[in-house]
């Protein structure tokens, strides 16, 4: 019924009022249920004309009132039908347009490099900073090639299982392989230069830690002899203090060496946080070994006092310890001043923010050592003058309290660093302004900048890009006259779709290049920023 009514060239509408009826004149293209198009501007002899309808109206066939007969004014209304492309259904899993690298093709599909030579090679923009483009392959081509090589999906699955078993077996024998490699290098001679791990202990924080280990080790030995000779509780606390410092700084050296390891697939951001982990364990060790044993020995001295022998040797050893601990303290202070000046921070800010946990531990341990030497010497002097051994026990408790305070500070600062704290607001504002000042950026939202430790910052933001600027950036690299000719040659919907898909993909590549440029600018202008994640809104 609707097809018959739409076929009419002129369709009168008699309104139930005194207004003039309106005649719809239209040239529209109708898609019938059979899929055929009909031009409604052509006449159909089987359809009554407007004059016939008017006569019917006048004779009473159209209406019962003859006075309602009116003349019609032709005022056509144009009706247009929008042509829309049919939506393509991709399904829940669609991998026909996926690209994979040659390494993945060889590993995941058990192919050889010679097998990839026969496949289509596609140059794409590289995600790495050191290369501009790299070669990828269509996943569908690689899958077809793997089936051609192995014959069936079952054979490919068996080969994958076999290679997985070999990989597991290799990992189980990794220690043996490393030992054989070491023996091979020793047999033929190792001509490699000194590793960066060993070089780290000859400058910067590594040098400070190694100096502290040597000095505290000697101090522990001499203080232990003094305690055995005198039986002083304060001297015992000092010996335990030096032992705790030596062990903790050896742990710091281990953390420094581990932090120099290169990132691997299991740890893509590296091992720099090993310094904070070692410093945290060091703080706990100071609290348990240093403070705990000092408090224990001081309490036992108060409960069971005993006379103290001559303290002359104890004073001499304390004086030597004061000089050595002071020298180590000066080395740590100079290193922190130099590093803080390079970062544009004050000495206090550098220490509180725990920018270099290893040097901070040495600084605080040596500062506590100097103060504890003064406390121990004072209490031992009071014991010598008054002959009351309680002063010596109180000195042991004072040294333990001092060590507990230092350990609490180290635990707090290193825990904050490991939790991933934000960078300073001023630095975050500079990064935000740098992004917002770029013409390709309209706005940025959900900005997060996390200090990953050791002056490494991870920056993340959601960016609203200006599509017009991105498109203009793409057009500036094109031949406009050639592009205009391509547009003029578009005549059908299929040609229009091919034209839009081609240039749409190129514009998306241009947007990716703009993201890479912004990330590179952030890293160059802010060396602390090592990882940048810009998400497109």
């Amino acid at each position: 019924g609707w097809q018959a009514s739409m076929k009419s060239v002129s369709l009168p509408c008699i309104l139930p009022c005194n207004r003039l009826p309106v005649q719809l004149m239209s040239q529209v293209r109708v898609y019938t249920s059979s899929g055929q198009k009909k031009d409604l501007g052509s006449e159909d002899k089987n359809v009554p004309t407007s004059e016939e309808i008017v006569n019917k109206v006048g004779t009473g066939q159209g209406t019962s009132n003859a006075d309602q007969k009116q003349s019609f004014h032709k005022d056509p209304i144009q009706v247009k039908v929008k042509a829309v492309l049919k939506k393509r259904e991709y399904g829940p899993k669609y991998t026909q347009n996926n690209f994979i690298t040659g390494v993945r093709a060889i590993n995941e599909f058990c192919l050889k490099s010679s097998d990839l030579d026969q496949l289509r090679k596609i140059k794409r923009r590289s995600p790495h900073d050191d290369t501009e483009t790299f070669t990828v392959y269509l996943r569908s081509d690689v899958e077809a090639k793997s089936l051609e090589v192995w014959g069936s999906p079952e054979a490919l699955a068996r080969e994958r299982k076999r290679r997985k078993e070999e990989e597991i077996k290799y990992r189980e024998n990794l220690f043996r392989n490393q030992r054989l490699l070491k023996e091979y290098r020793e047999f033929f001679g190792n001509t490699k230069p000194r590793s960066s791990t060993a070089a780290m202990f000859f400058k910067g924080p590594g040098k400070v830690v190694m100096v502290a280990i040597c000095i505290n080790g000697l101090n522990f030995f001499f203080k232990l002899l003094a305690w055995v000779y005198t039986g002083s509780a304060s001297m015992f606390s000092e010996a335990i203090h030096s032992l705790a410092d030596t062990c903790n700084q050896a742990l710091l050296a281990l953390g420094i060496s581990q932090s120099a390891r290169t990132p691997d697939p299991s740890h893509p951001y590296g091992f720099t946080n090993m310094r904070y982990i070692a410093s945290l364990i060091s703080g706990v060790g100071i609290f348990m070994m240093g403070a705990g044993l000092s408090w224990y020995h001081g309490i036992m001295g108060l409960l069971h006092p005993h006379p103290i022998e001559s303290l002359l040797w104890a004073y001499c050893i304390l004086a030597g310890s004061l000089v050595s601990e002071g020298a180590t303290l000066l080395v740590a202070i100079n290193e922190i001043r130099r590093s803080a000046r390079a970062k544009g921070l004050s000495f206090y800010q550098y220490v509180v923010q725990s920018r270099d946990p290893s040097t901070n531990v040495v600084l605080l341990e040596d500062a506590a050592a100097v103060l504890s030497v003064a406390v121990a010497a004072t209490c031992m002097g009071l014991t010598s003058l008054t002959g009351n051994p309680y002063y010596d026990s109180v000195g042991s408790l004072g040294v333990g309290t001092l060590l507990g305070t230092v350990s609490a500070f180290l635990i707090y600062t290193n825990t904050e660093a490991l939790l991933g704290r934000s960078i300073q607001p001023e630095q975050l504002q500079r990064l935000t302004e740098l992004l917002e000042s770029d013409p390709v950026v309209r706005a940025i939202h959900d900005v997060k900048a996390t200090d990953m430790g050791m002056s490494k910052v991870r920056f993340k933001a959601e960016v609203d890009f200006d599509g017009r600027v991105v498109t203009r950036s793409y057009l500036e690299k094109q031949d406009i006259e050639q592009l205009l000719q391509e547009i003029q040659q578009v005549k059908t919907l299929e040609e229009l779709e091919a034209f839009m898909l081609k240039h749409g993909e190129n514009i998306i590549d241009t947007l990716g290049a703009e993201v890479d440029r912004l990330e590179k600018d952030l890293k160059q202008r802010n060396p602390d920023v090592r990882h940048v994640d810009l998400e497109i809104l």
Side-chain angles (χ1 to χ4, degrees), residues 30 51 63 134 143 162 206 235 349 370 384 413-414 446 450 485 506 515 524:
V30 176
E51 287 78 5
T63 180
F134 72 132
E143 290 177 349
R162 185 186 66 82
M235 186 55 63
Q349 290 176 335
V370 171
S384 299
T413 55
N414 287 284
D446 194 20
T450 306
Q485 293 176 2
N506 293 338
V515 172
Q524 286 181 348

Side-chain angles (χ1 to χ4, degrees), residues 8 31 43 71 135 170 190 254 293 307 442 492 508 510:
S8 62
Y31 292 79
E43 295 184 359
S71 60
T135 303
Y170 171 76
N190 191 355
L254 178 62
L293 289 178
R442 281 177 173 166
T492 63
I508 294 299
T510 304

Side-chain angles (χ1 to χ4, degrees), residues 330-350:
L330 290 177
V331 173
I333 291 175
N334 291 333
E335 177 62 26
I336 291 179
R337 282 180 176 175
R338 184 186 64 81
S339 301
R341 193 181 305 112
K343 298 295 181 182
L345 300 174
S346 65
F347 184 89
Y348 175 77
Q349 290 176 335
Y350 191 89

Side-chain angles (χ1 to χ4, degrees), residues 99-103 116 119-127 131-138:
F99 294 143
I100 62 174
T101 61
V103 175
L116 302 180
L119 303 181
R120 288 178 293 176
K121 298 179 177 63
I122 303 171
K123 292 291 185 180
R124 299 295 296 174
R125 185 170 45 84
S126 174
T131 55
E132 295 183 357
T133 60
F134 72 132
T135 303
V136 294
Y137 303 88
L138 273 173

Side-chain angles (χ1 to χ4, degrees), residues 21-303:
V22 181
Q23 182 183 13
L24 301 179
M25 297 292 294
S26 60
Q27 298 286 337
V28 297
R29 194 175 284 177
V30 176
Y31 292 79
T32 64
S33 59
S34 61
Q36 298 178 353
K37 295 182 290 186
K38 292 184 179 296
D39 190 355
L40 302 186
S42 60
E43 295 184 359
D44 193 340
K45 295 181 179 180
N46 297 327
V47 180
T49 64
S50 60
E51 287 78 5
E52 295 175 354
I53 297 176
V54 172
N55 293 334
K56 291 180 180 180
V57 173
T59 57
Q61 297 178 4
T63 180
S64 61
N65 190 356
D67 295 335
Q68 295 292 332
K69 179 178 178 182
Q70 301 289 342
S71 60
F72 296 97
H73 298 277
K74 296 182 178 181
D75 189 10
I77 299 176
Q78 300 295 331
V79 180
K80 297 182 180 180
V81 178
K82 183 186 295 184
V84 182
L85 288 177
K86 182 180 179 181
K87 184 178 180 181
R88 179 175 297 180
E89 298 293 340
Y90 294 100
K93 183 178 181 181
Y94 183 79
T95 60
Q96 297 301 316
N97 60 346
N98 286 8
F99 294 143
I100 62 174
T101 61
V103 175
R104 283 191 60 190
I106 293 174
N107 293 335
E108 295 182 11
F109 294 92
C110 305
L111 296 177
K112 299 178 181 179
S113 58
S114 58
D115 297 331
L116 302 180
D117 296 339
Q118 306 172 10
L119 303 181
R120 288 178 293 176
K121 298 179 177 63
I122 303 171
K123 292 291 185 180
R124 299 295 296 174
R125 185 170 45 84
S126 174
H128 307 290
D129 297 335
D130 53 350
T131 55
E132 295 183 357
T133 60
F134 72 132
T135 303
V136 294
Y137 303 88
L138 273 173
R139 185 186 182 95
S140 57
D141 293 347
V142 175
E143 290 177 349
K145 186 64 179 179
S146 64
L147 293 179
E148 177 185 345
V149 171
W150 295 103
S152 64
E154 292 76 13
L156 178 60
R158 287 195 297 269
E159 178 64 19
R160 286 176 175 172
K161 182 178 180 181
R162 185 186 66 82
R163 294 192 179 190
K164 187 67 176 178
E165 292 175 353
E166 290 182 355
E167 181 181 357
I168 295 176
K169 184 177 179 181
Y170 171 76
R171 290 182 177 180
E172 291 176 351
N173 298 328
L174 183 61
F175 178 76
R176 182 177 59 85
N177 295 334
Q178 290 178 346
R179 185 179 60 185
L180 293 176
L181 181 61
K182 181 178 179 181
E183 294 176 356
Y184 175 83
R185 288 177 178 176
E186 292 177 353
F187 181 77
F188 287 97
N190 191 355
T191 58
K192 292 177 61 178
R194 179 182 295 168
S195 63
S196 58
T197 303
M200 293 178 63
F201 294 103
F202 293 92
K203 61 180 180 180
K207 178 181 178 181
V208 175
V209 171
M210 293 306 295
V211 170
I213 289 176
C214 297
I215 291 179
N216 284 318
L218 293 175
N219 288 340
F220 165 70
F221 178 74
F222 288 112
K223 288 177 181 178
L224 185 64
L225 292 180
W227 171 71
V228 171
Y229 180 72
T230 61
S232 170
S234 297
M235 186 55 63
F236 175 80
S237 298
E238 280 298 307
I240 293 299
H241 183 185
S242 297
L243 175 62
D245 288 349
T246 304
C247 295
N248 291 329
Q249 286 153 7
L251 185 62
L252 293 178
L254 178 62
I256 292 175
S257 63
Q258 292 296 315
S259 65
R261 295 169 57 187
T262 56
D264 56 26
S266 300
H267 305 85
Y269 291 106
F271 298 86
T272 54
N273 281 341
M274 282 300 300
R275 294 195 182 190
Y276 292 97
I277 295 174
S279 299
L280 178 62
I281 298 174
S282 177
V284 176
I286 292 174
F287 184 82
M288 293 181 64
M289 292 182 61
L293 289 178
S294 296
W295 283 332
Y296 172 77
H297 204 75
I299 293 173
M300 294 302 296
L302 291 176
L303 295 177

Side-chain angles (χ1 to χ4, degrees), residues 368 374 503:
H503 292 283

